[in-house]
Amino acid sequence: MSILNGLLGRIISSETLVEGVASVESALKLPENEIPLLHGLYGSSFSLLIAAWFSKHNKTALIVTADRESAITLADDLESWLGRDSIVYLPQQEVVAFDRNSPDAELVGAYLDGLHRIMSNEKLLVVTSLYGFRQRIIEPQRLKNSILTIAKDSRYDRDKLCEQLSIIGYSPVSMVTRTGEYARRGGLIDLFPPGENPVRIEFFDDEVLSMRKFNVESQRSLGKIDSIDVLPVSHMILDDDAVANALLRLEDSRDELSHGDIVDLEARFEERIHSAGLEAFMPWFATTATLNNYLPDSTPLFWRDPVQLSQQNNSLDDEIPRMRTARRNYDPLLPQPEKVVASAKDASAGMHHIAVAESWITGDKAGKWLGKTPQPFAAYETKTPGIIGGDTEKLVTELSKFEQTGYQTMLLCDNQGQADRLAELLLETPGNTAATLPVPGQISGGFIWPGAQIACITDHEFFERYHRPARTRFHGTAVVKESGTLKPGEYVVHIDYGV
C-alpha cells in the first residue's frame, strides 16, 4: 500500500470528506438527462474527491478529460491515492481516424488490456481522453473470443498459432522489441503481448515444454509461467469471416469505384496486414462498439472541464471529416465518419453525467456540453497553495498555521531522495516548529481544502520544478540489432539456438 493510499484511508475515516462525497452521490441521483456541475476543485483535489467517493461506494465510474496529457495526469493522481489495481487508463491512440498510418500496437494493446479488465466485472475507475472515449472499438464478445490462451504441456500447431497471432494484430519479426511483435526461431516462439515483458515459449514438436517471461534488453529470464492469455493488439480481428464481410461490402460498392481501386482494396483486405491505416475500414469487417458497451448500465460519467471538452470536441468534429476527405485521394470509398468515431452524445447515451471544473462562470456559453449547460450543484471552494519560490521559512510558517488550525497537512515529494533533502532543509530552517515532514507521494498539483481541512503541498510546485510523470506509460525499447555494435558479455538471441 502506498503512503498516499494510507493517508486517504485516514482522511476518509476522520470523516473530513463526508460532505464532499455525499454531494457526489446526491448528484448521481438526479435524472440522467441533467448535467450537474461540481466546481471549485483545484490542483489534485478532484482526484482526492473521486478516490474518496470510490473507496466509500465501490462503484465503477468513467472519467473523460479533454486530451491525452490531462488523462494521463489524472490517472497518475488516482493511482497515487488508490493504487494501480483500482484504476484503468485507456490510452488515446496517436493517430486520428482516417490517418494513412495504423495506430501503435502498444497503445492499442494497452487499451484492449484495459477493456479486458473492465469485462472482469471488477469495480474500477476508468480514465480516458475524449478521443479515446469517442473512437469505435471492438465488440466485447469479439474481444473475448479473440483472446488466445497458451498453457504449458498443451499442444499447438505452431504454424496455426503464428497465423492466429497475425490475425489478432501481431507482426512477425526476427527479434521482439516491443508490444505487438512475435518471433519464431526453431522450437521457440517469442511474443510480446500487452504488459511489461515479452514471453518465450519453448516447444518440443507441438507440445509446450516451458514458458517464461524475459527482459527484452538483457534477454534474461524473469521467471516461469504456466499459462498466458494473449490479448489482441488491434481492434480489427482479420479472420475469415471479417475479411469475407469486407469483401462483400466492397462487392456492393463496385459501381462507385474504378476497377483498379477494387483490385487494390481486395488485395489489401486479403493480405490481412494491420498497417497503412487499414483501421479506417473497420466497420466493413465487423460490427463495432463504444466504450459504453463495456460498462455497467447507468455508469457514472465524470466530464472533466466542460469548456476544454467542448473546444476539443469541436476540433475533432472538424478534423475527422478533413482527414477522411484527404484520405479519399488514395482510397476513394471510405466509411462515413460516424461509423468510425461516434459523437460524444451517442457514445455516452444512458450514462449518468456529472461535469467537473476548477472555476465556473454561470451562463458561459463556452461551457455548453452535449447541447446543455451544466448546472452548478456543489461548490467545493478549494484553492491552490501558492507557496512557491523555495522559501523554506515561508513554508514552515504556513505548515505551522495549518497544523494549529486542525488541518490534515501533507507535504509530498516525487521520490524518497527529494523527501529526505527537503526534510533536511526544513530542520535547518530557524524557528521551525512544524511537525509535518515531507513524504514521497506523486500528485500533479497541491491544494488547500478549507471545508475538509486538508492542506496538500507538493515539492515540485514549491521549488517551481518540472513535475515528472509517475511513470513512463508507453515507450519503445532500444535493442542492439547490428552485430558490429555488440560488446563482450552482452546477451544475444541466436536465430537457431536462443540466448
Side-chain angles (χ1 to χ4, degrees):
M1 183 174 67
S2 69
I3 290 176
L4 286 190
N5 198 199
L7 286 171
L8 176 63
R10 291 201 294 275
I11 290 171
I12 294 173
S13 64
S14 66
E15 300 188 355
T16 54
L17 284 178
V18 167
E19 184 178 344
V21 170
S23 295
V24 176
E25 196 63 17
S26 296
L28 291 172
K29 294 177 181 177
L30 295 175
E32 290 184 2
N33 60 350
E34 296 185 20
I35 306 180
L37 173 73
L38 312 179
H39 62 102
L41 290 161
Y42 289 87
S44 295
S45 60
F46 170 60
S47 65
L48 171 60
L49 175 64
I50 294 302
W53 169 80
F54 179 80
S55 295
K56 181 174 177 59
H57 294 282
N58 195 32
K59 294 179 182 178
T60 291
L62 172 65
I63 310 168
V64 176
T65 72
D67 54 39
R68 185 198 333 254
E69 292 306 315
S70 57
I72 290 175
T73 298
L74 179 58
D76 280 341
D77 281 356
L78 288 169
E79 287 181 1
S80 293
W81 293 115
L82 292 167
R84 187 169 292 190
D85 290 344
S86 297
I87 311 302
V88 169
Y89 168 63
L90 300 177
Q92 171 185 321
Q93 61 191 38
E94 81 287 13
V95 295
V96 179
F98 301 110
D99 197 295
R100 294 183 68 201
N101 295 305
S102 290
D104 186 271
E106 184 175 14
L107 292 171
V108 179
Y111 195 108
L112 295 174
D113 184 51
L115 294 180
H116 187 233
R117 287 184 61 195
I118 296 169
M119 291 171 65
S120 69
N121 294 319
E122 295 179 63
K123 303 301 182 184
L124 299 162
L125 287 178
V126 183
V127 182
T128 192
S129 67
L130 180 61
Y131 185 74
F133 176 64
R134 287 184 55 183
Q135 70 177 93
R136 292 196 177 273
I137 57 180
I138 187 173
E139 280 191 312
Q141 190 60 46
R142 189 158 177 78
L143 172 58
K144 184 177 180 180
N145 293 342
S146 66
I147 296 172
L148 303 179
T149 299
I150 304 174
K152 182 177 177 293
D153 299 328
S154 297
R155 291 184 173 275
Y156 304 89
D157 183 307
R158 280 175 283 169
D159 292 334
K160 291 183 178 179
L161 178 58
C162 290
E163 179 183 342
Q164 191 61 33
L165 288 171
S166 295
I167 286 172
I168 64 174
Y170 289 78
S171 301
V173 294
S174 60
M175 179 177 179
V176 299
T177 62
R178 56 183 293 120
T179 301
E181 296 178 340
Y182 75 90
R184 181 177 178 179
R185 301 181 310 283
L188 298 177
I189 293 180
D190 290 351
L191 66 93
F192 206 145
E196 298 288 334
N197 296 290
V199 175
R200 176 160 294 141
I201 307 170
E202 182 181 359
F203 286 85
F204 177 75
D205 194 16
D206 286 347
E207 182 181 359
V208 175
L209 292 182
S210 68
M211 295 194 298
R212 65 189 66 216
K213 293 186 177 183
F214 66 94
N215 181 283
V216 73
E217 294 179 350
S218 69
Q219 297 293 308
R220 289 185 171 181
S221 173
L222 299 175
K224 294 183 178 181
I225 57 175
D226 292 325
S227 66
I228 184 173
D229 289 333
V230 182
L231 271 69
V233 290
S234 173
H235 291 281
M236 293 180 63
I237 309 302
L238 299 180
D239 55 17
D240 291 342
D241 289 342
V243 173
N245 289 339
L247 292 174
L248 182 61
R249 176 64 178 81
L250 189 59
E251 182 66 26
D252 292 340
S253 305
R254 281 188 175 273
D255 294 341
E256 304 175 53
L257 296 170
S258 69
H259 176 72
D261 289 330
I262 291 173
V263 170
D264 176 63
L265 281 175
E266 284 179 342
R268 286 161 61 188
F269 292 171
E270 293 174 344
E271 193 176 23
R272 307 189 189 200
I273 296 178
H274 297 78
S275 64
L278 192 66
E279 292 74 14
F281 298 97
M282 188 169 75
W284 292 6
F285 286 84
T287 304
T288 59
T290 62
L291 177 54
N292 197 352
N293 297 119
Y294 285 81
L295 298 166
D297 292 340
S298 298
T299 292
L301 169 50
F302 295 90
W303 298 104
R304 181 70 188 272
D305 197 328
V307 174
Q308 289 188 14
L309 283 165
S310 182
Q311 293 171 350
Q312 182 69 5
N313 198 54
N314 291 337
S315 295
L316 288 172
D317 285 345
D318 290 340
E319 183 177 7
I320 291 168
R322 282 202 303 268
M323 293 290 291
R324 182 177 182 271
T325 299
R327 176 74 178 267
R328 291 190 67 186
N329 292 324
Y330 304 93
D331 292 312
L333 186 65
L334 290 165
Q336 292 297 318
E338 65 272 14
K339 298 295 184 181
V340 182
V341 180
S343 68
K345 187 174 183 179
D346 288 344
S348 61
M351 303 185 79
H352 218 131
H353 305 270
I354 295 182
V356 182
E358 291 184 345
S359 59
W360 185 257
I361 302 174
T362 302
D364 186 359
K365 294 181 179 180
K368 195 171 184 179
W369 181 239
L370 301 180
K372 301 176 182 178
T373 300
Q375 297 301 309
F377 183 82
Y380 291 90
E381 299 181 351
T382 70
K383 58 184 179 181
T384 56
I387 305 172
I388 60 176
D391 185 340
T392 56
E393 290 189 11
K394 180 180 179 181
L395 177 59
V396 297
T397 299
E398 294 300 318
L399 291 175
S400 296
K401 288 180 181 178
F402 289 134
E403 293 168 0
Q404 290 166 11
T405 51
Y407 275 65
Q408 296 190 71
T409 308
M410 295 173 278
L411 182 54
L412 304 178
C413 299
D414 289 345
N415 55 57
Q416 186 63 59
Q418 291 176 7
D420 292 342
R421 177 55 182 153
L422 182 53
E424 291 176 3
L425 293 174
L426 294 179
L427 291 173
E428 294 169 358
T429 301
N432 180 13
T433 59
T436 301
L437 290 175
V439 295
Q442 286 220 13
I443 62 170
S444 59
F447 56 90
I448 309 300
W449 194 332
Q453 285 201 299
I454 299 170
C456 182
I457 300 165
T458 66
D459 71 327
H460 61 269
E461 290 174 307
F462 174 62
F463 288 112
E464 299 179 278
R465 185 173 57 223
Y466 170 71
H467 174 58
R468 191 179 301 276
R471 69 176 186 271
T472 302
R473 291 181 177 273
F474 304 102
H475 56 278
T477 303
V479 176
V480 176
K481 291 188 177 181
E482 300 297 328
S483 60
T485 65
L486 292 172
K487 298 178 182 179
E490 290 184 331
Y491 288 85
V492 298
V493 177
H494 191 276
I495 192 168
D496 294 320
Y497 303 111
V499 179

